[in-house]
């Protein structure tokens, strides 16, 4: 069977190499756990566990065991499911595998350094980085290193181009667009956001805030601790918030878009066949619909019908957004972030908390879409402004 959206043929591997009732049960379990309503909370919990237990999992033997288990499941699954193998072996999905391994290595290196430095700080010993002479001459040491890296990178790219065919498809045809139509892998996180937000926000505002936030970070966070060495003990909030945005709201969304988003942009399990004829029932409902027609949709609440005035109609969403972006920063400044507010001052705190709350709105909107089919908090179609 030919899969036009993958540009490959399923008949090349019609049956898994290994199969048994236990393997089929394992595949069904993984497909079930891959549902974003289940997988995102699990990944968030694993993220918290990663931060809490970093002194344990960064031990070389433990890290090697975790890497081996990941590679065994990630690559070994090709032998138990042909659909998974088609996705993994697709040439333009190879960078995803490289990204996962590269991100994992960089996380281990940073947290391993943090574990060693934090252990030394807690025991009153000098940090390992302080005992090293990290001065390097530009010539010849740095220039030679850069030249070697340049040669190796060029050789890898040449081999990559020779061994893997370029994932070029047929010329664009508006009468037969690919299904699913996906952006390049590095934009799949943004494409996933288009499911939950209006294009102006998912494609313009949120990426712009990412750039602005990265630029403003050195001016918002002026804590000198952690400069020149890895640490988590001295910078828990800064590291946790930044890594959450990068790992959960960027890397995970790329993985969702690559491995789980199939035809018609439906979610499929990693061991599930991408059926282009699959049709799932679903109705997107706005917050104003839930508020004014709650009795019909939820079984309780108003049964008023949507008001004609757009401001009155979207008043519940306007109140929620005003609370989220105006009242909640004040509440947090007087409670949870009181000491941080006193240290940072009004302007730096306002910039930081706005970035943080807008970032937190992304997973909130995703969960509400998956659980309540909520499409927009505010739906002002008259002025083409939706949130």
């Amino acid at each position: 069977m030919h899969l036009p959206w993958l540009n490959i043929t399923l008949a090349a591997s019609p049956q898994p190499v290994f199969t048994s009732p236990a393997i089929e049960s394992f595949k069904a379990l993984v497909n079930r756990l891959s549902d974003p309503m289940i997988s995102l909370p699990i990944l968030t919990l694993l993220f918290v566990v990663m931060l809490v237990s970093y002194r344990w999992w960064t031990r070389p033997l433990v890290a090697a065991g975790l890497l081996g288990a990941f590679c065994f499941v990630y690559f070994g699954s090709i032998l138990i499911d042909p659909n998974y193998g088609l996705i993994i072996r697709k040439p333009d999905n190879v960078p995803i595998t490289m990204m996962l391994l590269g991100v994992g290595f960089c996380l281990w290196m940073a947290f391993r350094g943090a574990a060693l430095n934090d252990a030394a700080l807690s025991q009153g010993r000098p940090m390992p980085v302080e005992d090293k002479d990290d001065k390097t001459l530009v010539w010849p040491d740095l220039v030679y290193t850069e030249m070697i890296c340049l040669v190796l990178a060029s050789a890898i790219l040449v081999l990559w181009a020779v061994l893997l065919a370029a994932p070029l498809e047929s010329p664009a045809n508006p009468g037969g667009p690919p299904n699913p139509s996906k952006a390049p892998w590095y934009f799949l996180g943004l494409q996933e956001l288009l499911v939950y937000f209006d294009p102006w926000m998912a494609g313009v505002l949120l990426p712009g805030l990412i750039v602005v936030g990265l630029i403003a970070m050195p001016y918002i966070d002026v804590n000198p601790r952690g400069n020149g060495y890895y640490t988590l003990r001295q910078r828990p909030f800064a590291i946790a918030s930044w890594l959450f945005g990068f790992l959960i709201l960027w890397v995970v969304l790329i993985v969702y878009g690559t491995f789980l988003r199939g035809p018609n942009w439906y979610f499929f399990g990693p061991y599930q066949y991408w059926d282009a004829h699959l049709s799932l029932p679903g109705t997107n409902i706005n917050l104003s619909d839930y508020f004014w027609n709650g009795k019909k949709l939820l079984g309780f609440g108003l049964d008023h019908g949507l008001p004609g005035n757009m401001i009155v109609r979207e008043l519940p969403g306007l109140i929620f957004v005003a609370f989220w972006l105006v009242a909640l920063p004040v509440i947090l400044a007087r409670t949870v972030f009181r000491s941080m507010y006193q240290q940072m001052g009004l302007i730096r705190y306002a910039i930081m908390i706005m970035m943080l709350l807008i970032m937190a709105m992304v997973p909130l909107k995703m969960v509400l879409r998956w659980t309540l089919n909520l499409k927009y908090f505010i739906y002002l179609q008259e002025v083409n402004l939706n949130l």
Side-chain angles (χ1 to χ4, degrees), residues 218-293:
Y219 304 97
I220 297 174
D221 186 5
V222 295
N223 187 348
R225 292 181 296 180
N227 290 339
Y229 60 93
Y230 294 112
T231 179
L232 181 61
R233 178 185 177 187
Q234 296 179 336
R235 311 296 301 276
F237 176 77
I239 294 175
S241 58
W242 190 92
L243 278 181
F244 182 84
F246 174 67
L247 293 178
I248 304 299
L249 300 183
W250 191 254
V251 174
V252 170
L253 293 187
I254 290 177
V255 173
Y256 278 175
T258 302
F259 299 122
L260 303 185
R261 285 294 191 179
N264 305 316
W265 212 248
Y266 289 146
F267 271 110
F268 291 82
Y271 305 125
Q272 188 176 357
Y273 171 64
W274 284 10
D275 186 1
H277 303 289
L278 179 66
S279 179
L280 298 178
T283 303
N284 296 324
I285 305 172
N286 300 318
L287 182 61
S288 56
D289 295 317
Y290 277 118
F291 181 82
W292 298 107
N293 300 316

Side-chain angles (χ1 to χ4, degrees), residues 40-265:
L40 189 65
I42 291 177
L43 292 172
T44 304
L45 179 61
L46 289 177
F47 173 78
V48 175
V49 172
M50 179 190 74
L51 295 178
V52 174
S53 61
Y54 71 103
R55 295 190 182 184
W56 171 77
W57 66 264
T58 56
R59 296 174 181 174
L61 290 179
V62 177
L66 293 175
L67 176 61
F70 171 80
C71 292
F72 176 77
V73 175
Y74 187 84
F75 296 106
S77 294
I78 297 176
L79 301 176
I80 66 174
D81 190 85
N83 302 308
Y84 177 85
L86 292 176
I87 300 174
I88 291 295
R89 292 196 299 262
K90 190 179 179 183
D92 49 352
N93 286 345
V94 172
I96 308 296
T97 301
M98 298 172 61
M99 178 194 70
L100 293 177
L101 294 175
V103 168
F105 173 76
C106 291
L107 283 176
W108 174 81
M109 183 179 65
F111 277 95
R112 181 58 181 168
L116 296 176
N117 291 332
D118 291 345
L121 288 173
S122 62
Q123 298 172 6
R125 297 184 289 105
M127 293 183 294
V129 69
E130 295 178 354
D131 297 333
K132 295 181 180 180
D133 183 10
D134 57 354
K135 294 181 180 179
T136 302
L137 297 176
V138 174
W139 176 266
D141 299 335
L142 180 60
V143 175
Y144 277 178
T145 302
E146 291 177 343
M147 184 186 68
I148 294 173
C149 291
L150 175 63
V151 172
L152 290 177
S154 300
I156 292 173
L157 290 175
V158 170
L159 290 176
W160 190 347
V162 171
L163 298 177
L164 292 179
L168 300 178
E169 299 182 1
S170 58
N173 181 9
N179 185 16
S181 182
K182 292 188 177 183
W185 66 270
Y186 42 84
F187 283 144
L188 282 179
L190 294 179
Q191 188 172 0
E192 181 67 20
L193 292 179
L194 287 170
V195 179
Y196 314 101
F197 295 94
D198 225 30
W200 71 272
M201 187 167 188
V204 179
L205 181 61
L206 290 178
L209 288 178
I210 292 174
V211 176
V212 172
L214 292 174
I215 295 174
M217 189 177 296
Y219 304 97
I220 297 174
D221 186 5
V222 295
N223 187 348
R225 292 181 296 180
N227 290 339
Y229 60 93
Y230 294 112
T231 179
L232 181 61
R233 178 185 177 187
Q234 296 179 336
R235 311 296 301 276
F237 176 77
I239 294 175
S241 58
W242 190 92
L243 278 181
F244 182 84
F246 174 67
L247 293 178
I248 304 299
L249 300 183
W250 191 254
V251 174
V252 170
L253 293 187
I254 290 177
V255 173
Y256 278 175
T258 302
F259 299 122
L260 303 185
R261 285 294 191 179
N264 305 316
W265 212 248

